[in-house]
Amino acid sequence: MTETVRLHEHLDDSISIILSPKENISNEEDESSLRSILKDEYKYKFQSVTLENFVSALIREFPDIDIFRGFEKRYLDFERVEKLINRAGIHENSK
């Protein structure tokens, strides 16, 4: 799809970036599989980046923009979720 847009817009180059949570190892396997069938001159066009690293890079690059910190807190702060799950488990066990 990225290449189709590049051709339609008459752009010189394009890169496809796949974002996924860092613990999603299937993307690493998919990337490896895809790289094995791509010609060497096209392998750079496909990159996989963890969602956590991408959001961290946005926060570092744009420290004054709160939306990225809000996204990180809402969707990537699993420690908060784990605490809630643990509290719920403790609460259920105490009944």
Side-chain angles (χ1 to χ4, degrees):
M1 186 165 150
T2 303
E3 281 299 299
T4 301
V5 171
R6 182 189 72 79
L7 293 170
H8 183 267
E9 297 294 327
H10 308 287
L11 302 172
D12 293 333
D13 202 5
S14 65
I15 295 176
S16 296
I17 299 174
I18 307 301
L19 291 174
S20 65
K22 67 182 174 186
E23 293 182 11
N24 182 353
I25 60 170
S26 67
N27 276 2
E28 292 174 13
E29 295 164 359
D30 293 342
E31 179 182 1
S32 178
S33 177
L34 178 59
R35 285 188 186 281
S36 71
I37 62 173
L38 288 174
K39 293 180 180 179
D40 286 342
E41 63 264 26
Y42 297 115
K43 289 184 181 187
Y44 78 93
K45 290 182 161 280
F46 178 78
Q47 297 178 19
S48 182
V49 177
T50 69
L51 183 58
E52 292 85 348
N53 287 346
F54 183 74
V55 172
S56 292
L58 286 171
I59 291 169
R60 281 192 310 274
E61 188 68 27
F62 305 101
D64 297 332
I65 300 178
D66 291 334
I67 193 167
F68 302 125
R69 289 184 198 287
F71 180 91
E72 180 182 49
K73 183 176 181 179
R74 181 171 182 167
Y75 296 107
L76 300 176
D77 186 1
F78 296 113
E79 186 177 311
R80 291 175 56 204
V81 174
E82 289 170 1
K83 286 179 183 176
L84 290 172
I85 290 171
N86 288 337
R87 285 185 197 150
I90 291 168
H91 181 70
E92 287 179 16
N93 291 337
S94 64
K95 288 183 179 179

